[in-house]
Amino acid sequence: MKIKSKVFGLTATALGLAFSAQAVLAECDHHKDHHDVHLTEHHAHTPVAMVEPLSDESLHHLPAVWRDHRNEPLTLSDLSGQAVIITMVYVGCQTACPVLVEDVKRLYYGLNEAEQANTRVLVVSFDAKGDTPEVLNTFAQNLGGDLPGWHFVTGAEGDIRTFSSLLGIRYRQNPSGGFDHSNVIAVLDRQGEIRGRQEGLAQAPDRLLGALRGALN
Amino acid sequence: MITVRSVARMTGGVLLAMFIAGCSQTPTNHLKDGEFMIDGKIFGLAEAEVFTEDYAGPPVVGDYVTALPFLKPLDYKGNKTHEVRIDTFSQMVEVAPGVSFNAWTYGGTVPGPTLHVREGDRVIFTMKNRSDEEVVVTDPVKGMGPFYSQLQGNLYQKNRPSTSPMPHSMDFHSGTVAADDKWRTIAPGETIRFEWVANYPGVYMYHCGTPSVLMHTAMGQYGAVVVSPKNGFPTDDKVDHEFVIVQSEYYLEKAGDTYIYNHQAAMARDPSHVTFNGHVSALIDSPLRVKEGDRVRLYVLNAGPSDTSSFHVIGAILDRVWYEGNVENEWRGMQTVLLGASNSAVMEFIVPEAGLYKLVDHEFADAERGAAGTMIATPRDR
Amino acid sequence: MRLHRLLLTVCLLNVPAWGSDSVVIPGGDFQPPVLLDREIQTTEVEAFLLDAAPVSKTAFAEFVTTHPEWRRSAAPRLFRDGGYLRNWTSDLDPGVEQEAQGTPVTHVSWYAARAFCHSRGGHLPSMTQWEYVVSLLREKNQVPDDEYARWVFGWYGAQRPVDFVDRALGIKGMLGLVNEWIEDYQLLLSNGEQIDFGGGSCGDTARLMVKYDNAHYASFLRYQSRSNYTPVTTTSNLGFRCAYPLEGAL
Ligand SMILES: [Cu+2]
């Protein structure tokens, strides 16, 4: 199932006007990629600037304090100024979760070193009770994810639910104790806004890589 | 940025303002990025967009969008890209004298507006879930297509605004897409936009697909799309009148001053009313008006949600019938056409002489619950 | 059973500040009316405390007074849609003069509702807790199944307020006053190997039904409709109440 999304925040005037006024644009000269036009506009008015107040849509608004697999505290706003790759898993998950981490690695290694240096990876566990920092540490090591800038984190149950809802990730503990969940990888830009999002496992990384490069620009 | 599900929240903004106006005589097969073609049909359309917008304009927008029983003729050649908006919101509608209920509607009427396009046309569709707003459809609207003038010319449902916040969706049977993407449910306040291409000609149902789909459709969320064949029907230049008739059932019970949906009756397929164009008297108070000798074409859709229709014109024989509205499916000399839920047909007959004709669902239990209409034929010039 | 006095004492001990009219919901077995798993499950629900009534506009106004980050002018769009606290006359004034004091607050997002409950030392009820209470209300007040179904369909279909007074637990609302946020309101179901959000699958009903009677269809409608909100959704008939753990209170 998809919670797809791909429209980029745009500023403009009333939609009603758009209908009548813009409709005149004929398409005889083949299809211009109008999305691109808007993307450019969007970039134009959001230069990277640390002093800017948090944007309305920034995930940095989330005050939750996480604890990572090195047992260090972490809040999302700590990641300000860096691109972030995010996924959600749990350690007891045999099938999907290692694949998700593998997908994240592929994405990460698709970046050059300079880009990697400006990118953090956040793997958030669904399992607040079971996945302690120690458990996550072993998990990270086993999957080759114990890398600089990578954080396998746990937090309060309520914060996990908030976080997942911000990313459109649904999950539910099933009667056997595991978690049913959607498989999502998301990319945050330096301001903490979601710039890319992908559902499903083992997908080609191109689209998210593009989003990531856009986020890093 | 991309937000999740509710993609871009527009601060009063235009999003994708660059809509495409159709160019007459353009060949159909303009593929957009990511699309592919099989047998001349276009598939692989872009993902739907869900966002919030501060839109408070007319809930129905489109040059080829009409109120029942009208159909807007296609006055362009070749193919065209249509921008269509049909918002979903609640409305008090009357379905029989003294029987009104808080309907869930597309565009404020039950059935919703009729969209007319040509095989190969592309539709860019926008729908806002305004079920938490009081949307007025009885005020004059300028330049937004024929729907409002037709509706306001005959407010037989006595449409009055109401609210009833509910999640809803839009499923066009005329589109060939992944339903979990395009037909997905949006919450009150959200807007969805997606495209579909009219790959196949026909008379199609559209409806809300949000569970309980029985309730959402029985509450009034359905309507018709007519996709005319690329090369038309063989009788196109002989036809004198075109009308659209949508049959559907209501399952209502009295509760206080008004009526409410009765799920038990809906499950038992025991309708309180069966109607043509949403009101037991819609086609009786405003009969279809023709002349003897005219060739009349009806676009008939049985929207259900659960019943069949055995459509019959008393005193006429259906000269030609194109089942499902596809020119390839031609029948001749039919007395009755059986339509399952969401089946349709284009039916033509010659008006034999001046007089009064009844259109009925020949399943008489349905006719006696309202599925009947009138056509009045005046003498021809001899 | 009301807890006014008990709670007053407890508040002095500086445990969370529950509203003075929370109700103890006794523990018990609950069979969800909607099949979220392949087997019909019976869940054991522990006793908990629940607000007797939906959170009022007045209470929410107090909350935004002490929590400026949740005022209409301050709360980021990340956490609410454009309708948040719509119709309030100002940031702090819900404009309830003409209305009864207890008018439930609506036009609140899931995030805002959770923040409110958190500030009171509680949380939004879980789906199991909330639906369990509905089952208790029906059982203890001996509401006939068809009557219950008519209430639910009348409420969702036509916003018909339900004229029901609970004489067993002292609960107000829950059926036909306002819809209420719960913590885990989004359904998650599987389609083969694909996870489905149970959001928009036309006709996808029967496999989720425990029983094919009117009352179960009514409950299903509530589960399903609720599941289609987004966490930022605000509507004119969507409010909430809070739950609290019982330990610490007694
Ligand atoms: Cu609907």
Side-chain angles (χ1 to χ4, degrees):
Chain A
M1 168 78 197
K2 307 150 190 176
I3 326 184
K4 291 169 194 163
S5 47
K6 51 172 187 93
V7 179
F8 296 78
L10 307 168
T11 48
T13 46
L15 191 65
L17 286 177
F19 270 119
S20 41
Q22 312 273 8
V24 195
L25 282 172
E27 206 227 354
C28 309
D29 58 332
H30 278 241
H31 21 271
K32 290 192 184 117
D33 194 340
H34 298 305
H35 289 254
D36 282 352
V37 174
H38 284 271
L39 259 177
T40 323
E41 281 173 11
H42 179 64
H43 283 295
H45 72 75
T46 50
V48 181
M50 299 309 180
V51 285
E52 266 185 45
L54 273 189
S55 85
D56 238 15
E57 304 277 5
S58 172
L59 265 65
H60 296 165
H61 283 292
L62 192 65
V65 181
W66 309 93
R67 192 153 282 278
D68 77 2
H69 67 288
R70 301 179 191 93
N71 212 3
E72 302 284 339
L74 179 81
T75 61
L76 279 174
S77 54
D78 295 344
L79 309 178
S80 177
Q82 304 214 279
V84 188
I85 306 172
I86 296 176
T87 192
M88 291 185 76
V89 302
Y90 70 103
V91 172
C93 160
Q94 303 301 316
T95 48
C97 302
V99 180
L100 275 173
V101 174
E102 206 51 46
D103 288 348
V104 169
K105 273 163 67 183
R106 199 146 43 113
L107 191 56
Y108 185 74
Y109 287 123
L111 300 171
N112 65 37
E113 273 183 29
E115 290 166 333
Q116 285 176 7
N118 283 312
T119 302
R120 305 281 274 271
V121 173
L122 194 60
V123 181
V124 180
S125 167
F126 293 114
D127 188 355
K129 292 202 178 75
D131 291 353
T132 59
E134 298 72 46
V135 172
L136 287 169
N137 193 288
T138 313
F139 184 68
Q141 306 247 7
N142 289 344
L143 294 176
D146 182 23
L147 301 165
W150 283 54
H151 308 271
F152 289 72
V153 309
T154 180
E157 247 171 88
D159 291 335
I160 293 171
R161 194 161 285 284
T162 312
F163 188 74
S164 73
S165 74
L166 290 169
L167 295 166
I169 296 174
R170 296 196 188 193
Y171 69 97
R172 158 178 180 265
Q173 189 155 27
N174 58 39
S176 51
F179 291 79
D180 300 332
H181 60 91
S182 34
N183 300 312
V184 170
I185 298 176
V187 169
L188 302 190
D189 65 17
R190 294 169 187 265
Q191 289 78 35
E193 295 193 356
I194 300 171
R195 292 296 297 263
R197 187 175 173 285
Q198 162 188 298
E199 291 205 16
L201 297 172
Q203 310 226 3
D206 316 21
R207 201 166 55 87
L208 278 190
L209 207 51
L212 203 47
R213 294 230 157 85
L216 286 162
N217 55 19
Chain B
M1 71 157 270
I2 305 183
T3 65
V4 172
R5 183 155 202 266
S6 49
V7 186
R9 310 228 163 83
M10 303 193 305
T11 47
V14 176
L15 165 87
L16 296 187
M18 313 288 129
F19 288 138
I20 300 145
C23 305
S24 339
Q25 281 147 337
T26 309
T28 16
N29 25 12
H30 269 187
L31 287 182
K32 292 193 181 178
D33 266 2
E35 296 177 352
F36 61 94
M37 190 176 281
I38 293 176
D39 289 350
K41 301 176 196 322
I42 296 175
F43 302 100
L45 300 179
E47 289 168 3
E49 297 151 4
V50 177
F51 51 92
T52 62
E53 53 169 350
D54 298 327
Y55 180 81
V60 176
V61 180
D63 292 338
Y64 298 85
V65 181
T66 49
L68 290 166
F70 304 103
L71 185 71
K72 170 86 193 235
L74 300 181
D75 50 8
Y76 56 93
K77 292 211 169 63
N79 283 117
K80 182 177 167 65
T81 297
H82 300 258
E83 292 149 37
V84 175
R85 169 186 283 269
I86 302 177
D87 291 337
T88 182
F89 52 95
S90 291
Q91 197 82 180
M92 287 301 291
V93 302
E94 186 187 275
V95 307
V99 180
S100 289
F101 83 114
N102 178 74
W104 298 346
T105 77
Y106 293 115
T109 60
V110 182
T114 303
L115 169 64
H116 193 189
V117 303
R118 178 172 288 127
E119 179 185 356
D121 282 357
R122 185 183 289 264
V123 175
I124 301 174
F125 178 71
T126 305
M127 175 178 84
K128 181 174 182 182
N129 182 340
R130 296 167 76 173
S131 58
D132 198 19
E133 273 175 60
E134 289 204 345
V135 181
V136 178
V137 296
T138 48
D139 289 344
V141 176
K142 268 190 195 158
M144 287 297 166
F147 175 75
Y148 286 101
S149 53
Q150 292 163 346
L151 170 69
Q152 292 167 11
N154 183 9
L155 284 167
Y156 60 84
Q157 290 187 320
K158 303 190 168 79
N159 318 58
R160 279 183 291 123
S162 64
T163 59
S164 178
M166 279 300 281
H168 294 299
S169 57
M170 174 59 98
D171 168 345
F172 284 105
H173 288 188
S174 46
T176 42
V177 301
D180 63 334
D181 176 35
K182 314 288 188 289
W183 308 162
R184 82 177 92 155
T185 297
I186 56 170
E190 286 189 310
T191 300
I192 189 165
R193 180 171 299 140
F194 56 79
E195 297 186 13
W196 53 272
V197 173
N199 280 325
Y200 295 84
V203 179
Y204 293 99
M205 179 176 179
Y206 66 77
H207 68 92
C208 181
T210 302
S212 148
V213 67
L214 173 59
M215 178 174 184
H216 282 254
T217 48
M219 287 292 291
Q221 289 186 291
Y222 47 82
V225 173
V226 174
V227 180
S228 286
K230 194 169 289 195
N231 300 312
F233 292 100
T235 55
D236 276 356
D237 46 8
K238 297 196 226 165
V239 169
D240 299 293
H241 302 278
E242 294 186 299
F243 300 107
V244 184
I245 297 176
V246 178
Q247 175 173 331
S248 60
E249 313 106 52
Y250 294 104
Y251 301 89
L252 301 175
E253 63 178 333
K254 198 161 174 31
D257 299 340
T258 60
Y259 285 73
I260 61 169
Y261 168 72
N262 179 341
H263 192 74
Q264 201 153 18
M267 288 300 288
R269 304 175 193 227
D270 181 17
S272 55
H273 305 81
V274 183
T275 63
F276 290 154
N277 294 353
H279 193 291
V280 297
S281 316
L283 294 182
I284 295 171
D285 293 345
S286 305
L288 307 180
R289 295 187 186 277
V290 300
K291 273 188 182 165
E292 62 177 339
D294 280 353
R295 178 176 280 270
V296 176
R297 180 184 289 172
L298 303 178
Y299 298 82
V300 183
L301 168 73
N302 176 28
S306 301
D307 243 3
T308 52
S309 169
S310 297
F311 193 85
H312 176 77
V313 181
I314 299 175
I317 289 174
L318 301 168
D319 180 68
R320 314 251 181 143
V321 172
W322 292 283
Y323 199 61
E324 289 279 61
N326 188 319
V327 69
E328 306 285 328
N329 309 331
E330 183 173 296
W331 288 332
R332 301 274 185 130
M334 304 283 291
Q335 57 185 314
T336 294
V337 180
L338 175 61
L339 303 174
S342 109
N343 271 145
S344 65
V346 174
M347 309 178 189
E348 273 182 23
F349 57 93
I350 297 160
V351 180
E353 53 190 326
L356 193 142
Y357 296 81
K358 284 283 175 186
L359 321 170
V360 295
D361 177 351
H362 218 281
E363 296 168 37
F364 285 141
D366 292 342
E368 300 207 357
R369 279 184 243 212
T374 303
M375 183 179 75
I376 296 174
T378 51
R380 71 196 310 214
D381 311 322
R382 297 189 197 222
Chain C
M1 151 180 177
R2 296 282 186 128
L3 274 190
H4 294 211
R5 286 192 182 81
L6 248 178
L7 284 176
L8 276 176
T9 329
V10 172
C11 292
L12 290 176
L13 299 174
N14 197 21
V15 209
W18 303 283
S20 56
D21 38 11
S22 301
V23 166
V24 172
I25 305 299
D29 283 345
F30 173 58
Q31 196 193 74
V34 168
L35 268 179
L36 302 173
D37 298 288
R38 300 297 282 185
E39 280 91 46
I40 296 176
Q41 306 278 346
T42 298
T43 311
E44 204 185 309
V45 183
E46 286 176 24
F48 63 101
L49 279 168
L50 185 69
D51 285 345
V55 171
S56 68
K57 287 187 176 179
T58 318
F60 204 81
E62 285 163 20
F63 168 68
V64 295
T65 306
T66 53
H67 294 76
E69 71 276 18
W70 284 104
R71 290 174 195 172
R72 194 172 62 180
S73 61
R77 288 296 276 256
L78 187 68
F79 296 134
R80 49 94 183 183
D81 71 13
Y84 180 56
L85 302 182
R86 193 201 292 169
N87 302 336
W88 282 38
T89 46
S90 75
D91 247 6
L92 301 179
D93 184 4
V96 286
E97 288 87 51
Q98 294 95 329
E99 301 182 61
Q101 280 292 300
T103 307
V105 66
T106 55
H107 286 120
V108 285
S109 67
W110 178 77
Y111 296 109
R114 290 169 89 230
F116 178 98
C117 291
H118 193 73
S119 78
R120 298 283 181 104
H123 53 83
L124 285 178
S126 69
M127 182 150 66
T128 299
Q129 286 178 326
W130 199 94
E131 291 290 342
Y132 168 68
V133 175
V134 171
S135 72
L136 286 183
L137 292 182
R138 289 168 59 189
E139 184 193 312
K140 294 195 182 292
N141 292 281
Q142 295 179 321
V143 179
D145 283 0
D146 282 344
E147 184 72 7
Y148 158 75
R150 196 167 295 117
W151 289 348
V152 174
F153 282 114
W155 168 249
Y156 279 91
Q159 299 273 287
R160 283 182 75 80
V162 174
D163 188 17
F164 160 63
V165 180
D166 165 37
R167 304 195 186 283
L169 297 165
I171 293 279
K172 271 199 209 111
M174 298 201 76
L175 296 168
L177 177 57
V178 288
N179 295 334
E180 297 180 15
W181 282 115
I182 55 178
E183 175 73 3
D184 48 348
Y185 66 95
Q186 292 177 318
L187 300 180
L188 187 73
L189 308 155
S190 61
N191 271 315
E193 75 285 0
Q194 289 223 30
I195 297 290
D196 177 1
F197 295 161
S201 312
C202 166
D204 194 0
T205 302
R207 66 172 179 143
L208 308 174
M209 303 286 291
V210 174
K211 215 175 145 192
Y212 299 97
D213 64 1
N214 232 9
H216 279 80
Y217 277 109
S219 299
F220 174 77
L221 177 70
R222 179 172 59 242
Y223 274 76
Q224 193 70 59
S225 304
R226 183 169 57 199
S227 181
N228 282 309
Y229 300 136
T230 69
V232 298
T233 298
T234 65
T235 81
S236 60
N237 71 355
L238 184 51
F240 68 101
R241 73 180 74 212
C242 308
Y244 315 86
L246 196 53
E247 79 265 16
L250 293 177

